[in-house]
Amino acid sequence: MSRIRTVAAAIPAVNRRTVLAATGAAAVSAGVGYALRPTDSQAATTDTTKVVAQSRKAPAAPLAPYTKGTTLATVAAPRTSSGYRRLADGPGWSRVVRSELAAPKSGRAGRRTALAAFVQLTDLHLIDSQHPMRLEYLRSTDKHSWRPHEALTVQGAISLVERINALRGAPVTGSPLHFAMTTGDNTDNNAKSELDWFLKIMSGGKIRPNSGDPRHYEGVQNSGLKLYWQPDSTVRDGDKQLGFPHLQGFLAAAIREVRSPGLNLPWYSTVGNHDAMPLGCYGHGDSWLAEYAVGGKKLMSLSASEAKKLQDHIKSGNDPKGTAFRDLLKAHARDMRSVTADESRAPYTPADYLKAHLDPAYRGVGPVGHGYSTANLEAGTQYYTFRISDDVIGISLDTTDPGGHYEGSIGTAQLKWLDKQLKDNKDSHVIVFSHHTSKTMDNTGIVDPARPNERRHGGQEVIALLGSHSNVLAWVNGHIHRNDITPHQASGGRSFWEISTASHVDYPQLARVIEITDNKDGTLSLFTTLVESAAPHRTDFADLTQTGLAALYRELSYNAPGASATLGGDPNDRNTELVLKKG
């Protein structure tokens, strides 16, 4: 049943003994719909009451593992051996027990109790594929700089929501899933059109994944340029030479209205660099680039030498404000093609991002703000703490640097705030969420324009801080588009796992279920189980329905030229039991 909870105007740290009573056989509550102030750890709301978002009701029957629809049961696999490879049902991935941080003890399966279960989605990269700012032309120097499936990100993400909704319990404990967390790069190009699509996918609604001309697609895929897959045309482009199909009506279907049911459990949001900055790497402030984003011209081709120079600029981080990018576009003004101007493609600011999450139109099943609060809006911050269950809290960080560049870091104020949250909630287990991984938080030399005098801190400092607190269980993140699970052993026997999950834009297009259990023997186990979208593994080139396109999204991503074949990770990065000592 729904619960109503009074939140005092000012409270000390959340204490697991005073928040919610255990419910059902799962003995855990839903993610509570409030966030803590980023400055003083108080309830970040002016309301005196909050409706707590409710998870699925625990089943009346005894809980049992639920593996249907997970990669334990089956994984998409190629059924042809060369050229464009068609997919079909393949064997599932088995579970690997990892004991680097603690020795697993026999009999724990019969003793364990569930503390929490949730889903991580990351790097959805919802793409407005007709946006003028896109860098498709980098494909002339790097094949994977443009992907043939980019017009189908909305259909693919909806199918992932459908899969999560179909999970009737956690794969190991059978516990209800209590919330979902997106760990950043929800959008691809910091465009308002993409933000609207993301929020409707997560909370439910109708979406027309199109911008510009409402009647038809205007972009590289009907440009006639052989550099890109031209699905509706018989032109022998480079991708068709690799076996990509001719699909008459593909582009009309790709921009057709679709509907998302929205997640049927509470969801929270973490910000990534592609959410925070145009192209995920350029700081806000250039009025010419902002006008170009909504204007009626689009560059679609560039020489390999110029493309390489631009790509090197981006990788080096030497052009955080996009000055060289702007100059390149101006130099190629006569090479641009005309497209329909559209204000919905405008970049959004951090404040816009927060306001959109707080908009009642995007609430879905909640919580209000999806972790963010009016206190975040007032303070100009995008990090918060939330209650997961009686025994577990979640902390969402903002690891983006609004000064520019795609790698991450955090400022001194946020680092101190994180330390305070861990101290104030010492009686609770902690799961930390961020977009960037520890190894990709090395962007410490670029100044945050809003806090020019504040020092930036990298991943190793965050590891040291987390390792100094015995209540941290895991740091869950994305950004690298690869499954990668790393043990971190700190002094004094304190330890935690870093869990990085593959994206949903590059194959194998996965999300991850994470379960926390107490083994009642001095150890805890974190179970990680990967899931694909609900779309069938087998595709039908004649099926251009919403579901058919979601299936094509997966198969096209598998065949994308230049795509890495290692993003699925090793077996010990996929479905695992991660054992660690109880703090």
Side-chain angles (χ1 to χ4, degrees):
M1 61 181 180
S2 297
R3 296 181 179 213
I4 302 220
R5 173 177 189 280
T6 300
V7 179
I11 60 172
V14 177
N15 188 295
R16 67 187 176 91
R17 303 298 181 192
T18 60
V19 182
L20 294 172
T23 59
V28 289
S29 68
V32 175
Y34 69 88
L36 306 183
R37 284 190 187 274
T39 53
D40 57 13
S41 301
Q42 296 174 347
T45 175
T46 55
D47 297 338
T48 57
T49 61
K50 277 278 189 183
V51 177
V52 176
Q54 182 181 345
S55 67
R56 303 185 185 98
K57 293 181 179 179
L63 296 176
Y66 190 87
T67 60
K68 182 179 179 181
T70 75
T71 58
L72 291 166
T74 183
V75 182
R79 57 187 171 94
T80 54
S81 59
S82 62
Y84 179 94
R85 304 180 74 180
R86 309 301 299 276
L87 299 180
D89 297 340
W93 292 332
S94 60
R95 191 175 303 283
V96 176
V97 179
R98 295 190 58 175
S99 57
E100 295 100 310
L101 298 181
K105 299 180 181 180
S106 61
R108 65 191 182 285
R111 293 188 301 269
R112 70 170 60 109
T113 58
L115 301 181
F118 62 91
V119 183
Q120 178 206 9
L121 302 84
T122 194
D123 295 86
L124 293 173
H125 283 277
L126 294 164
I127 295 173
D128 182 345
S129 64
Q130 302 168 79
H131 198 292
M133 287 275 281
R134 290 195 52 72
L135 303 174
E136 295 106 335
Y137 40 79
L138 292 185
R139 202 184 201 207
S140 64
T141 188
D142 178 357
K143 289 182 180 179
H144 199 57
S145 290
W146 176 80
R147 313 169 184 93
H149 54 284
E150 288 184 349
L152 301 180
T153 55
V154 168
Q155 292 87 347
I158 292 173
S159 187
L160 184 60
V161 166
E162 292 170 342
R163 166 60 66 214
I164 294 167
N165 286 349
L167 296 175
R168 300 306 176 197
V172 175
T173 64
S175 167
L177 301 173
H178 297 93
F179 72 98
M181 170 63 83
T182 69
T183 51
D185 283 3
N186 308 303
T187 65
D188 186 72
N189 197 27
N190 181 243
K192 289 182 178 179
S193 53
E194 296 168 345
L195 181 58
D196 175 66
W197 300 345
F198 163 65
L199 292 168
K200 285 180 179 176
I201 287 168
M202 299 295 285
S203 295
K206 294 179 180 179
I207 305 158
R208 189 173 181 85
N210 183 36
S211 65
D213 193 322
R215 299 165 298 177
H216 61 84
Y217 171 94
E218 300 174 302
V220 298
Q221 287 194 272
N222 66 351
S223 64
L225 294 169
K226 293 184 178 181
L227 183 62
Y228 313 103
W229 178 45
Q230 307 292 303
D232 285 69
S233 169
T234 57
V235 64
R236 190 69 173 162
D237 58 67
D239 293 284
K240 289 203 188 78
Q241 291 177 38
L242 297 175
F244 275 70
H246 168 220
L247 300 178
Q248 189 67 40
F250 175 88
L251 293 173
I255 63 173
R256 188 185 304 133
E257 184 178 85
V258 293
R259 183 178 184 86
S260 173
L263 284 169
N264 63 5
L265 69 164
W267 66 271
Y268 294 82
S269 187
T270 294
V271 66
N273 54 293
H274 279 263
D275 304 312
M277 296 174 285
L279 298 175
C281 61
Y282 293 137
H284 287 267
D286 191 307
S287 60
W288 191 93
L289 287 175
E291 287 298 318
Y292 178 73
V294 302
K297 294 292 183 178
K298 179 177 172 66
L299 185 63
M300 297 189 186
S301 61
L302 195 66
S303 70
S305 60
E306 288 185 287
K308 180 68 165 59
K309 184 177 179 180
L310 175 59
Q311 188 177 58
D312 288 345
H313 264 296
I314 293 171
K315 288 181 177 179
S316 68
N318 291 333
D319 187 28
K321 297 185 182 300
T323 302
F325 177 54
R326 179 196 62 203
D327 291 346
L328 180 144
L329 291 174
K330 286 183 174 182
H332 285 274
R334 292 185 177 181
D335 302 324
M336 294 180 183
R337 300 194 180 195
S338 294
V339 295
T340 303
D342 191 339
E343 288 293 328
S344 77
R345 293 170 174 159
Y348 57 83
T349 65
D352 293 332
Y353 189 72
L354 293 171
K355 289 175 183 177
H357 279 77
L358 290 161
D359 188 335
Y362 300 124
R363 179 172 179 173
V365 298
V368 172
H370 304 290
Y372 300 119
S373 65
T374 55
N376 287 121
L377 194 58
E378 292 164 3
T381 59
Q382 295 185 92
Y383 46 89
Y384 58 90
T385 299
F386 66 106
R387 174 62 58 178
I388 293 174
S389 72
D390 284 355
D391 297 290
V392 186
I393 67 163
I395 299 178
S396 173
L397 302 179
D398 173 9
T399 56
T400 67
D401 188 334
H405 196 37
Y406 56 84
E407 302 291 47
S409 61
I410 62 174
T412 298
Q414 186 176 178
L415 191 70
K416 290 181 177 178
W417 171 87
L418 174 59
D419 187 36
K420 189 176 191 306
Q421 300 309 301
L422 296 173
K423 289 176 180 175
D424 289 350
N425 293 283
K426 63 181 182 299
D427 291 332
S428 293
H429 301 305
V430 177
I431 305 292
V432 176
F433 300 93
S434 73
H435 177 63
H436 292 90
T437 66
S438 61
K439 291 181 180 179
T440 57
M441 287 182 63
D442 57 6
N443 181 22
T444 57
I446 296 176
V447 173
D448 178 353
R451 301 167 181 83
N453 298 318
E454 186 180 50
R455 183 186 160 209
R456 303 294 295 184
H457 303 267
Q460 292 307 306
E461 289 182 85
V462 176
I463 288 174
L465 176 59
L466 297 181
S468 70
H469 293 272
S470 60
N471 53 342
V472 177
L473 304 184
W475 181 2
V476 179
N477 50 45
H479 186 62
I480 58 176
H481 293 208
R482 185 179 70 248
N483 293 317
D484 190 10
I485 299 179
T486 305
H488 291 292
Q489 180 76 62
S491 60
R494 295 171 178 173
S495 57
F496 65 93
W497 292 93
E498 183 172 356
I499 303 170
S500 306
T501 301
S503 74
H504 206 255
V505 68
D506 289 316
Y507 189 84
Q509 297 183 330
L510 301 167
R512 199 188 292 265
V513 179
I514 299 176
E515 301 169 72
I516 309 168
T517 67
D518 186 339
N519 295 326
K520 301 298 183 180
D521 57 13
T523 68
L524 301 168
S525 287
L526 305 179
F527 291 94
T528 73
T529 308
L530 295 161
V531 297
E532 299 173 295
S533 77
H537 292 153
R538 283 183 177 264
T539 60
D540 179 351
F541 289 156
D543 182 4
L544 298 181
T545 64
Q546 181 175 327
T547 298
L549 291 174
L552 273 172
Y553 181 59
R554 181 193 294 118
E555 186 171 279
L556 293 169
S557 75
Y558 180 87
N559 287 279
S564 171
T566 64
L567 299 181
D570 296 327
N572 60 359
D573 300 313
R574 300 171 185 169
N575 301 331
T576 67
E577 179 185 358
L578 310 174
V579 186
L580 68 165
K581 293 177 182 178
K582 195 172 181 181

